[in-house]
Amino acid sequence: MTDEPRWLSADEQKAWKALVATLVRLPAALDAQMQRDAGISHFEYVIMAALSDAPDRQLRMSLLARMSEGSLPRLSQAIGRLEKRGWVRRAPDPGDGRYTLAILTGDGMDKVVASAPGHVEEVRRLVFDPLTKTQPKQLHDICGRIMRTVDPDGPFNL
């Protein structure tokens, strides 16, 4: 005897379709804004923003890949592009030479500072302006629940 699949209810189907559309279209919209206004991809901005918040503006590449939700090869390619522009540099980790650090340069920090207002405005316009005052907390709670299932050992407290 086989177990019957647990089909989605009509309400669950509607919610799932809305989530899928959001997961596809929101990153594209954020990327378009960053390309238009800052000349970088959203992924490159996420990398530099993470470095800007890190102690000494540096992180191990492996941790940065997890934080930016990118694979090491994708991160390495993006870091290479950012290095060519003088915004990031790589160096061996002095604490353990098996690791490589990504380090945000002064010019890179300037780029983050210059790019942040447009990015925040676009996030506000696309995500938070359409929500009621109580919905950001609900969104946080929902995303946290999903992420704890997707990545129970993940490094972030959502």
Side-chain angles (χ1 to χ4, degrees):
M1 181 174 181
T2 62
D3 290 330
E4 188 66 26
R6 297 185 319 140
W7 299 110
L8 300 178
S9 70
D11 285 343
E12 289 169 334
Q13 285 181 12
K14 284 172 54 178
W16 174 244
K17 288 177 182 178
L19 178 59
V20 168
T22 302
L23 292 173
V24 170
R25 293 182 184 168
L26 181 59
L30 292 172
D31 197 57
Q33 179 273 321
M34 290 306 299
Q35 290 286 355
R36 179 185 67 242
D37 296 347
I40 58 175
S41 71
H42 185 251
F43 184 62
E44 291 165 339
Y45 176 78
V46 167
I47 292 166
M48 291 196 303
L51 290 170
S52 75
D53 289 337
D56 298 323
R57 297 191 314 222
Q58 61 186 22
L59 290 167
R60 286 181 174 174
M61 292 281 288
S62 54
L63 178 57
L64 185 55
R66 289 179 73 192
M67 291 175 72
S68 62
E69 300 294 337
S71 66
L72 271 172
R74 181 179 182 209
L75 175 66
S76 186
Q77 289 177 346
I79 291 290
R81 290 189 300 272
L82 296 171
E83 280 180 310
K84 287 178 183 171
R85 296 175 95 168
W87 296 333
V88 174
R89 66 182 180 84
R90 286 183 253 209
D93 185 338
D96 187 338
R98 296 175 296 171
Y99 295 98
T100 299
L101 296 175
I103 304 162
L104 188 66
T105 66
D107 287 346
M109 187 65 183
D110 292 345
K111 183 64 174 177
V112 172
V113 169
S115 303
H119 174 66
V120 170
E121 184 55 38
E122 190 71 345
V123 168
R124 179 168 297 291
R125 184 182 76 80
L126 295 173
V127 178
F128 294 104
D129 286 350
L131 301 182
T132 66
K133 288 195 181 282
T134 59
Q135 287 177 324
K137 182 183 181 324
Q138 293 169 347
L139 179 62
H140 175 268
D141 292 346
I142 290 166
C143 291
R145 285 175 172 263
I146 292 170
M147 286 305 298
R148 282 189 294 278
T149 302
V150 170
D151 188 7
D153 299 321
F156 309 107
N157 250 340
L158 296 176

